[in-house]
Amino acid sequence: MTTPRPDPGPPPEGDDDARRMRRMTRRSFAAGGLAALGGFGTWKWLQSRPAADGLPGPFRAGHELNERVGRALFSDRHLAPEFDRSLAGDLRVNGWHGWSDDMPAAADWAIEVEAPGRPPRRVGLGELAALPRVEAVFEFKCIEGWSQVVAWGGYRFGDFLTALDLIPPDPALQYLLLSTPDGGYTVALDLPSATHPQSLLCDAMNGAPLTPGHGAPVRLVLPVKYGVKNIKWLSKIQFVAARPTDYWTARGYDWYAGL
Ligand SMILES: Nc1nc2c(c(=O)[nH]1)N[C@H]1C(S)=C(S)[C@@H](COP(=O)(O)O)O[C@H]1N2
Ligand SMILES: [Mo]
């Protein structure tokens, strides 16, 4: 389990992209994921990949997995409201835990997946292109009291997990611990929340590639939960049996952080 970096201070909210960008070196700017230079090209490349990468079919792991995913989808009927695209606006940048100036470039980015009893997987972003793309407009809510309607682009997190056969067949492994490359920010979820039909693995926001500040190259968007659970710079998924703590629950926040 990833140990959050010790950080006793209050959340450094209120940062903004511009301030952060000024602090980034030229090298880290280039390495900072889908940054302005070259980022759009990578994004278009991801989108234009043929949908024939030899993906295992969804539900390949068989009947037991079907049941678990079905249970997840049908036991969590609560849907967040969706909004008209014209209502979407700029989201502030809020929270830099887990950011580092040495982030891998988008082309080298991988999501590592670990589960007891299974060989570790390393999923490159190119593998996402075979999944059905979705865009959805949700109200993003921070626990501090502000909210913003945002149009997100990417993939259903449940599609990602099932189509790539990432959910371990052992039903005891019902929690996920997600983290940034350096483990500086972590988010714990139960499997039903991860596979909720509105839970998205996003690489685009309001029609443009995600900026580094908003979590490029990939972040989670969970409209049935507060912002704290919407992890930016996602690079690791660990399936575990015992309900894990995460960055904010370790500091006293509600584990579900649901809306
Ligand atoms: N890696 C990481 N993800 C994070 C945070 C963070 O500090 N680090 N902050 C969370 C909080 S509290 C909020 S409100 C949202 C803010 O997302 P935004 O910066 O795209 O507005 O990111 C969430 N995800
Ligand atoms: Mo937040």
Side-chain angles (χ1 to χ4, degrees):
M1 179 159 127
T2 308
T3 311
R5 194 168 55 195
D7 182 356
E13 314 279 43
D15 270 337
D16 61 87
D17 258 331
R19 206 163 99 206
R20 176 65 46 165
M21 280 301 195
R22 279 198 295 277
R23 285 170 50 189
M24 291 165 78
T25 63
R26 238 180 37 220
R27 181 180 147 266
S28 67
F29 183 86
L34 297 183
L37 297 175
F40 191 62
T42 310
W43 184 65
K44 293 230 307 232
W45 174 79
L46 286 176
Q47 298 213 321
S48 64
R49 293 295 308 263
D53 276 358
L55 275 184
F59 310 121
R60 197 186 64 165
H63 178 67
E64 198 181 344
L65 177 58
N66 275 337
E67 261 188 16
R68 292 177 67 206
V69 173
R71 205 162 60 226
L73 291 176
F74 297 115
S75 70
D76 195 349
R77 289 168 180 274
H78 171 63
L79 290 179
E82 299 200 27
F83 297 82
D84 191 83
R85 178 74 171 74
S86 65
L87 296 170
D90 283 346
L91 184 65
R92 77 183 75 177
V93 169
N94 205 59
W96 288 96
H97 300 287
W99 168 266
S100 105
D101 284 344
D102 296 319
M103 290 288 207
D108 303 325
W109 196 275
I111 299 176
E112 288 167 37
V113 184
E114 296 175 3
R118 275 193 140 188
R121 291 274 299 272
R122 206 170 175 276
V123 181
L125 298 187
E127 295 187 56
L128 301 180
L131 304 170
R133 258 197 99 75
V134 293
E135 178 166 284
V137 185
F138 301 120
E139 186 175 13
F140 190 91
K141 295 188 185 182
C142 174
I143 222 151
E144 297 174 302
W146 53 267
S147 71
Q148 172 66 51
V149 174
V150 180
W152 297 104
Y155 310 90
R156 284 191 192 84
F157 195 42
D159 285 350
F160 167 76
L161 293 173
T162 55
L164 292 169
D165 188 26
L166 300 175
I167 301 176
D170 179 355
L173 301 170
Q174 54 182 314
Y175 294 103
L176 292 78
L177 183 65
L178 315 172
S179 36
T180 54
D182 66 354
Y185 195 76
T186 52
V187 162
L189 295 176
D190 55 18
L191 190 58
S193 298
T195 57
H196 183 284
Q198 293 176 315
S199 293
L200 304 181
L201 179 61
C202 288
D203 58 10
M205 196 182 92
N206 295 336
L210 275 185
T211 59
H214 287 298
V218 279
R219 72 166 311 156
L220 279 196
V221 170
L222 311 168
V224 299
K225 292 188 184 284
Y226 278 105
V228 283
K229 293 287 186 183
N230 292 229
I231 187 171
K232 304 191 276 192
W233 315 299
L234 175 64
S235 91
K236 194 177 209 180
I237 302 171
Q238 291 163 285
F239 286 89
V240 294
R243 197 178 86 162
T245 187
D246 64 19
Y247 186 90
W248 283 117
T249 59
R251 288 159 177 79
Y253 280 64
D254 174 57
W255 196 88
Y256 285 96
L259 290 168

